[in-house]
């Protein structure tokens, strides 16, 4: 994309979710409507709408683009999700139904690292782990329910492809085993999972002080987990010591997302209009730069 900072004006409407393709020349965007826009980067270095995906009946809440398999997944307030596959011969994106089996709005979706499954959070107080059923040519789901007690706001996958972390409105950040026998998974033991567990087993649970968990992400190695909450806190835990959570209560407005820049630093951004950089050491988490 180059080293020069370029501001792209995409919509006048609020953007609820976006994701880039593998080479960042295309962008899938939800502008808080039932429509999902696929935008192409032109020669003038500006994004313009290339195609509009029309399948949902309610506001699209989250999108994600799998860079290796070039598949897009969308979920919405209509309690549905779709996987979109690009048809090279016909030049269009074809939707494939996902059987979520939920009775509340879908809120967040993320592909797994191997892109053979994805996780959908919802207001139904459960997490749907979805995988493809070739016999019926659709995507099916398995549910993780207990002990989730409120709407799931964020999801992230461990690099192993067999663990998933969620943040929810019950002030909790949780890690679950998501290994699927249907896909022949053979997970390895780790600090997160000292012994082999079945699908849906709660491996770790962390409290925030007094706020919804807006964003969660594993570090590149998967050894650390960070999350941000509505109480303006930043939290990090190392899998080597799950009982010790490093927490920083900031004076800023709450963060809504975070991104690990390396194994020892991450950026957090939200309602303060400016991303902040934090450094992680064995002694804790410290603010580094704005």
């Amino acid at each position: 994309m180059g080293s020069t900072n370029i501001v792209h004006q995409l919509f006048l409407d609020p953007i609820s979710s976006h994701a880039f393709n593998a080479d960042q020349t295309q962008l899938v965007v939800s502008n808080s409507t039932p429509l999902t826009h696929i935008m192409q980067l032109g020669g003038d270095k500006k994004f313009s709408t290339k195609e509009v995906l029309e399948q949902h009946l309610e506001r699209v809440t989250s999108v994600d683009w799998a860079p290796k398999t070039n598949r897009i997944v969308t979920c919405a307030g209509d309690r549905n999700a779709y996987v979109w596959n690009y048809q090279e011969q016909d030049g269009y994106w074809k939707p494939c139904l996902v059987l979520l089996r939920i009775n509340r709005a879908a809120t967040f979706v993320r592909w797994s690292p191997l892109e053979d499954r994805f996780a959908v959070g919802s207001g139904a107080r459960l997490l749907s782990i979805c995988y493809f059923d070739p016999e019926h040519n659709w995507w099916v789901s398995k549910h993780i329910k207990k002990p989730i007690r409120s709407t799931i706001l964020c999801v992230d996958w461990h690099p192993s492809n067999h663990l998933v972390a969620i943040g929810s409105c019950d002030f909790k950040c949780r890690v679950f085993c998501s290994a699927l026998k249907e896909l022949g998974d053979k997970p390895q033991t780790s600090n997160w999972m000292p012994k082999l567990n079945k699908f849906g087993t709660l491996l770790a649970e962390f409290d925030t002080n007094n706020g919804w968990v807006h964003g969660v992400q594993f570090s590149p190695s998967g050894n650390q987990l960070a999350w941000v909450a509505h109480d303006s806190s930043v939290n990090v835990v190392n899998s080597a010591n799950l009982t010790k959570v490093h927490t920083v209560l900031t004076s800023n407005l709450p963060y809504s997302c975070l991104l690990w820049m390396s194994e020892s630093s991450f950026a957090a951004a939200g309602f303060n209009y400016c991303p902040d950089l934090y450094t992680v050491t064995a002694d804790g988490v410290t603010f580094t730069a704005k």
Side-chain angles (χ1 to χ4, degrees):
M1 298 293 289
S3 57
T4 304
N5 293 327
I6 302 175
V7 177
H8 299 279
Q9 179 71 51
L10 302 180
F11 301 101
L12 295 178
D13 309 307
I15 294 175
S16 58
S17 184
H18 74 281
F20 286 94
N21 69 340
D23 60 7
Q24 298 188 359
T25 58
Q26 294 187 67
L27 175 68
V28 57
V29 185
S30 165
N31 62 332
S32 301
T33 70
L35 306 178
T36 305
H37 298 258
I38 296 180
M39 311 191 79
Q40 177 74 47
L41 184 64
D44 58 355
K45 300 299 181 182
K46 294 183 179 180
F47 282 98
S48 59
T49 299
K50 179 182 179 182
E51 189 171 346
V52 179
L53 309 181
E54 303 181 43
Q55 199 70 32
H56 288 288
L57 301 177
E58 299 290 342
R59 181 175 69 93
V60 175
T61 53
S62 185
V63 301
D64 199 21
W65 199 324
K68 302 172 187 175
T69 56
N70 196 35
R71 292 187 297 219
I72 295 172
V73 61
T74 61
C75 69
D78 57 8
R79 309 186 302 277
N80 287 323
Y82 293 94
V83 174
W84 303 80
N85 297 279
Y86 188 67
Q87 308 298 304
E88 291 281 354
Q89 186 173 357
D90 300 319
Y92 78 102
W93 290 88
K94 181 180 179 181
C96 183
L97 179 65
V98 181
L99 299 180
L100 286 182
R101 300 180 292 116
I102 58 177
N103 59 7
R104 295 291 186 274
T107 55
F108 199 90
V109 62
R110 275 296 175 269
W111 284 104
S112 70
L114 296 184
E115 301 175 9
D116 59 348
R117 70 200 73 185
F118 56 88
V120 180
S122 70
R125 298 187 299 179
L126 58 85
L127 180 70
S128 301
I129 305 296
C130 308
Y131 60 96
F132 187 66
D133 179 4
E135 182 179 350
H136 297 94
N137 194 32
W138 57 26
W139 292 74
V140 296
S141 63
K142 292 187 70 173
H143 290 167
I144 298 176
K145 298 181 179 180
K146 295 180 179 180
I148 305 169
R149 300 180 61 84
S150 190
T151 300
I152 296 172
L153 297 180
C154 52
V155 178
D156 191 52
W157 287 88
H158 189 271
S160 68
N161 208 61
H162 299 142
L163 306 177
V164 65
I166 68 166
S168 53
C169 290
D170 57 4
F171 306 167
K172 303 284 188 180
C173 178
R174 298 180 174 95
V175 179
F176 293 96
C177 174
S178 56
L180 293 167
K181 64 179 181 180
E182 291 83 355
L183 297 183
D185 287 346
K186 296 180 179 179
Q188 301 295 318
T189 57
S190 65
N191 287 334
W192 291 109
M193 187 166 60
K195 62 179 182 178
L196 297 181
N197 294 104
K198 63 181 181 179
F199 175 86
T201 300
L202 177 66
L203 303 176
E205 181 178 83
F206 309 102
D207 286 306
T208 58
N209 287 301
N210 204 15
W212 308 331
V213 179
H214 286 300
V216 62
Q217 192 174 53
F218 285 102
S219 65
S221 69
N223 292 331
Q224 299 182 94
L225 181 69
W227 64 94
V228 292
H230 201 69
D231 59 356
S232 298
S233 68
V234 176
N235 309 270
V236 177
V237 67
N238 193 304
S239 61
N241 186 359
L242 296 178
T243 61
K244 186 175 183 180
V245 178
H246 300 288
T247 300
V248 176
L249 286 173
T250 73
S251 59
N252 302 324
L253 293 174
Y255 297 118
S256 59
C257 60
L258 73 150
L259 177 67
W260 284 90
M261 314 302 292
S262 68
E263 192 62 27
S264 59
S265 66
F266 63 87
F271 299 97
N272 224 36
Y273 303 113
C274 180
D276 294 332
L277 184 66
Y278 287 87
T279 300
V280 181
T281 64
D283 297 325
V285 183
T286 55
F287 172 79
T288 305
K290 186 175 288 289

